Amino acid sequence: EGRAATLRKDVATAQRAYHTLKGNAAQFGAQDVHDLAMDIEQSAKAGTLPSDAAMTRIEAAWTPWQASYRSWVAQVKTTA
């Protein structure tokens, strides 16, 4: 959602999306993702949309965490 909002130049939605990602990352212990999302969120609060490079960095950092989460969910469903 953050990238889509950025491409639409929707600063408010981008800020909320990265705020949400920041919180999710904190819950999963993904400190690198949290830190990147916090930087983007703060910039968006100041009215600056993230660069393509910043979005690519956060997506690359989040991908392994997302894969781990999906694997965990699959295991929980199998054992439930």
Side-chain angles (χ1 to χ4, degrees), residues 16-75:
R16 283 191 306 273
Y18 288 106
H19 173 81
T20 299
L21 180 57
K22 179 184 74 173
N24 290 339
Q27 285 201 304
F28 290 113
Q31 190 65 43
D32 52 343
V33 177
H34 172 273
D35 294 346
L36 291 166
M38 184 170 61
D39 290 344
I40 292 172
E41 178 193 15
Q42 292 302 316
S43 293
K45 280 184 180 180
T48 303
L49 289 166
S51 67
D52 188 60
M55 291 186 295
T56 298
R57 278 192 305 276
I58 200 166
E59 289 164 358
W62 181 246
T63 298
W65 286 99
Q66 189 176 38
S68 293
Y69 173 75
R70 287 181 176 159
S71 175
W72 176 79
V73 168
Q75 288 176 347

